[in-house]
Amino acid sequence: RVVGLSPGQPVTLRAVAADDRGCLFQSCAHYRADSRGELHLGTDASHGGDYTGVEPMGLFWSLAPAGMEKPYQRLVPRSTGAPMKVEVLVHEGHSPPGAMPGPVVAKAEVQRLFTAPGVRRIRLKEGVVRGSLFLPPGDGPFPGVIDMYGDEGGLIEFRSSLLATRGFAALSLPYFDFEDLPRVMKELKLEYFEEAARFLQRHPKVKGPGVGVIGTGKGAELALSMITFLPEVVAAVSISGCSSNTVADLHYGEMTLPGLRFDMKKVSVSDSGVFDIFEALDDPASPANSPSVIPIEKAEGHFLLVVGEDDRLWKSSFYAELAIRRLRQHGKENFELLSYPGAGHRIDPPSTPFCQVAMDRVLGVPVLGGGESKAHAHAQEHSWGKIQEFLHLHLG
């Protein structure tokens, strides 16, 4: 809220934040004060800048690398213990994005917290399992959820800490490129994920009998495999996943699901050097690739499939269709689909800054993820509530 302006005064609101490496991100929007010289982001519309319309959190989800920074970087909190500090500035007049803004008339610091008071973070070395367990305050028991991201590897904790803030015992589970786990994702053993599920299921703070799993990208596909083969897992949230196993072969006992491969000849590169890999993955619907299909019809639990219809990283809408077709062919209706027009690949918790093109950690090049910022932001907000509802329904 801004007060003390002149009636109808044009101003530019700007947000500035730095990530833990010191990279600067910023966003801006154009507003006009009302007849009392006030404006309220909850009710007043932006007329220009990085977004238009009434968007109370628009300055957050439109944060992008500042002009002097390398492009295509994501603003993802690496540490959940410290808040993200965002400076909000009010400038005279309307200045377009990237231009020198007018004089500052007011400013305030906003802190974005990822962990509620009382949430405990426990670093995990349990057998072969690595990661962080986030426990809500109180005695519990709490519904237990395993949380995984994709082929960027490492430990990404902010969704887990937000889930714990919302009352879930959440295990942030890395599966390569972390501590003594394999450096690269060559092949994966489902026994690792089974051990994690059993650890969480048996934890005294976790409500039984089963646990849930949420995954994005490669993590989504692992979530589908876990609910298919592991009786401990009774609910799976797949965000932008594939209905077949991809890239790395997945082993479980004597069974192997070969990974579909990317054909680099089907990658196109734009004039600005952005890679479009939308057509590059082997077709999971081809009979030749049937050994890679995850036999999800064997799952006793429930599925929530979340996709952006403008996902350009791969064809997640089509893969969700394939999964639903397979379940229905086996007489199953144990799924829900959330399909968002205009949303891209990585549908994160609300107000996570939108990133249409991001540097790929494996390829080391900018890769198109698709989506349009406002539609993607709305998908993040809507799906977050629906994911929690789904997990509460099936985990108690």
Side-chain angles (χ1 to χ4, degrees):
R1 206 163 70 90
V2 186
V3 297
L5 299 169
S6 310
Q9 182 178 344
V11 290
T12 297
L13 261 64
R14 201 160 67 93
V16 182
D19 69 9
D20 49 3
R21 295 161 305 180
C23 172
L24 273 182
F25 291 76
Q26 59 183 16
S27 59
C28 75
H30 300 160
Y31 289 91
R32 281 189 186 278
D34 64 16
S35 57
R36 293 168 306 182
E38 297 183 5
L39 72 90
H40 195 306
L41 266 65
T43 51
D44 294 335
S46 163
H47 305 291
D50 289 320
Y51 61 90
T52 56
V54 179
E55 295 292 338
M57 292 295 285
L59 287 170
F60 281 75
W61 55 249
S62 61
L63 282 164
M68 75 287 252
E69 301 288 359
K70 286 182 184 164
Y72 313 135
Q73 297 189 75
R74 271 190 204 288
L75 181 54
V76 175
R78 297 281 166 217
S79 160
T80 56
M84 181 193 288
K85 292 178 179 172
V86 182
E87 190 171 37
V88 181
L89 304 109
V90 184
H91 297 268
E92 284 181 16
H94 287 165
S95 45
M100 197 68 182
V104 175
V105 294
K107 63 180 180 178
E109 186 181 86
V110 180
Q111 293 196 345
R112 180 149 200 221
L113 303 168
F114 293 92
T115 310
V119 168
R120 286 200 302 147
R121 172 181 179 266
I122 301 155
R123 283 302 295 276
L124 215 62
K125 276 199 168 181
E126 190 71 29
V128 296
V129 178
R130 300 291 174 264
S132 296
L133 177 63
F134 289 86
L135 295 173
D139 296 333
F142 309 103
V145 182
I146 292 171
D147 176 28
M148 299 178 296
Y149 271 89
D151 62 6
E152 62 268 59
L155 179 65
I156 300 174
E157 298 177 313
F158 76 105
R159 185 165 61 194
S160 299
S161 69
L162 288 171
L163 283 167
T165 294
R166 297 283 179 269
F168 296 92
L171 169 55
S172 181
L173 186 69
Y175 47 96
F176 75 103
D177 195 24
F178 180 73
E179 292 185 351
D180 54 356
L181 296 175
R183 295 295 300 157
V184 293
M185 189 173 59
K186 275 214 178 84
E187 54 181 3
L188 295 166
K189 289 187 165 62
L190 199 62
E191 283 83 356
Y192 173 77
F193 303 91
E194 182 174 51
E195 197 168 319
R198 286 178 176 169
F199 162 78
L200 190 61
Q201 184 193 36
R202 291 170 186 159
H203 195 283
K205 291 267 188 183
V206 171
K207 200 187 270 190
V211 298
V213 58
I214 177 171
T216 298
K218 178 67 188 176
E221 166 199 312
L222 286 164
L224 297 181
S225 291
M226 287 169 74
I227 193 173
T228 297
F229 296 111
L230 308 180
E232 295 84 1
V233 178
V234 298
V237 180
S238 161
I239 302 172
S240 309
C242 184
S243 49
S244 291
N245 186 52
T246 68
V247 184
D249 293 357
L250 181 67
H251 305 285
Y252 186 46
E254 299 296 303
M255 182 209 75
T256 296
L257 290 181
L260 297 180
R261 301 292 186 232
F262 282 94
D263 181 353
M264 296 313 281
K265 293 196 287 293
K266 292 182 179 171
V267 173
S268 61
V269 185
S270 73
D271 294 341
S272 58
V274 174
F275 283 58
D276 183 345
I277 63 172
F278 186 66
E279 297 288 350
L281 186 70
D282 293 342
D283 181 8
S286 161
N289 294 322
S290 61
S292 299
V293 174
I294 303 164
I296 54 174
E297 70 280 0
K298 293 181 177 177
E300 294 297 322
H302 290 80
F303 298 90
L304 178 63
L305 308 171
V306 183
V307 295
E309 293 174 20
D310 194 31
D311 184 348
R312 292 293 305 175
L313 197 84
W314 62 11
K315 304 175 184 180
S316 53
S317 287
F318 173 58
Y319 304 153
E321 277 174 39
L322 290 178
I324 288 168
R325 195 183 308 162
R326 188 173 182 98
L327 289 169
R328 285 194 163 140
Q329 279 169 352
H330 290 85
K332 298 235 171 174
E333 290 289 334
N334 55 341
F335 63 87
E336 288 175 64
L337 171 66
L338 298 175
S339 184
Y340 294 102
H345 179 70
R346 192 164 146 159
I347 299 172
D348 272 327
S351 308
T352 302
F354 171 68
C355 194
Q356 189 182 48
V357 176
M359 289 302 289
D360 186 277
R361 205 194 64 85
V362 181
L363 300 172
V365 296
V367 172
L368 184 62
E372 179 276 314
S373 59
K374 188 189 284 195
H376 192 90
H378 292 179
Q380 291 192 147
E381 192 160 329
H382 183 264
S383 62
W384 182 238
K386 289 292 186 186
I387 286 165
Q388 292 174 66
E389 277 175 28
F390 170 82
L391 292 170
H392 276 302
L393 178 64
H394 298 295
L395 303 176

